[in-house]
């Protein structure tokens, strides 16, 4: 059995949920792996992000968001409204804020406002899918005619660089 690892970086946007079609990357990784039969696992370690498999809906709004993604946003907003101020949710509590302010990682600025993303954590928990597995048969991903893999960052507070990891296993 052979194993091939790869990762990509995704630049997200601020002010709204950031959706990214990563199908081209999937196909490129499978081609580079030279694995003909096996599986591709796609994963993210970011706690405010999700991966999901759906079909491309072609129509987009002025921001380039597919209508299905806009519909998902509208439904989730009814269930989990965007966090606009402290104490809107129980989280983050004082211990977490103290922890966050003590970080020296440039990816997590020591600012209270960057911790006001409880809605993004709830949305990613509800939506789930921190990893997705696809079958590879005869060198091709079994995605169906319309299947697309999307990465979404629910945290709309600021732009970020997010990582998606790929592992191809097989022969």
């Amino acid at each position: 059995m052979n194993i091939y690892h790869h990762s990509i970086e995704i630049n997200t946007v601020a002010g709204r949920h950031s959706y990214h079609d990563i199908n081209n990357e999937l196909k490129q990784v499978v081609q580079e792996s030279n694995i003909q039969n096996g599986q591709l696992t796609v994963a993210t370690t970011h706690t405010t992000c999700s991966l999901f498999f759906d079909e491309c809906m072609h129509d987009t709004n002025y921001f380039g968001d597919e209508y299905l993604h806009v519909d998902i946003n509208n439904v989730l907003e009814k269930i989990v409204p965007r966090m606009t101020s402290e104490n809107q949710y129980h989280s983050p509590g004082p211990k977490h804020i103290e922890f966050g302010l003590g970080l020296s990682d440039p990816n997590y600025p020591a600012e209270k406002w960057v911790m006001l993303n409880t809605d993004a954590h709830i949305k990613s928990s509800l939506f789930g899918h921190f990893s997705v597995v696809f079958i590879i048969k005869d060198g091709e991903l079994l995605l169906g005619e319309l299947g697309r893999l999307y990465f979404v960052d629910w945290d709309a507070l600021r732009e970020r660089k997010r990582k998606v990891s790929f592992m191809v296993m097989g022969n």
Side-chain angles (χ1 to χ4, degrees), residues 4-8 10 20-27 29-30 39-45 49-53 128-136 141 143 148-152 163-169:
Y4 177 79
H5 288 274
H6 186 74
S7 64
I8 61 170
I10 294 176
H20 304 269
D21 179 341
I22 60 173
N23 257 36
N24 290 338
E25 290 83 352
L26 298 180
K27 293 174 183 175
V29 166
V30 169
Q39 68 180 38
L40 165 63
T41 302
V42 185
T44 183
T45 58
C49 299
S50 297
L51 295 159
F52 69 98
F53 184 70
H129 306 292
F130 298 102
S131 67
V132 179
V133 176
F134 294 100
I135 295 171
I136 301 167
L141 281 170
L143 300 174
R148 313 291 289 183
L149 184 64
Y150 294 95
F151 170 89
V152 60
K163 185 177 177 181
V164 177
S165 299
F166 304 86
M167 182 178 66
V168 187
M169 296 188 319

Side-chain angles (χ1 to χ4, degrees), residues 27 30-31 34-38 136-141 171:
K27 293 174 183 175
V30 169
Q31 185 179 26
N34 292 318
I35 291 175
Q36 296 299 300
N37 294 290
I136 301 167
K137 182 178 179 189
D138 300 325
E140 298 291 325
L141 281 170
N171 304 314

Side-chain angles (χ1 to χ4, degrees), residues 17-20 44 46-55 66-77 79-80 118-132 148-155:
H17 301 139
S18 190
Y19 289 85
H20 304 269
T44 183
H46 302 292
T47 58
T48 60
C49 299
S50 297
L51 295 159
F52 69 98
F53 184 70
D54 214 319
E55 81 179 71
E66 291 182 27
Y67 283 175
L68 178 62
H69 303 160
V70 175
D71 292 337
I72 290 169
N73 291 343
N74 291 338
V75 169
L76 286 176
E77 189 65 24
I79 300 168
V80 186
T118 298
D119 61 305
H121 287 282
I122 295 171
K123 289 171 183 170
S124 69
S125 293
L126 288 173
F127 216 77
H129 306 292
F130 298 102
S131 67
V132 179
R148 313 291 289 183
L149 184 64
Y150 294 95
F151 170 89
V152 60
D153 187 348
W154 305 109
D155 190 343

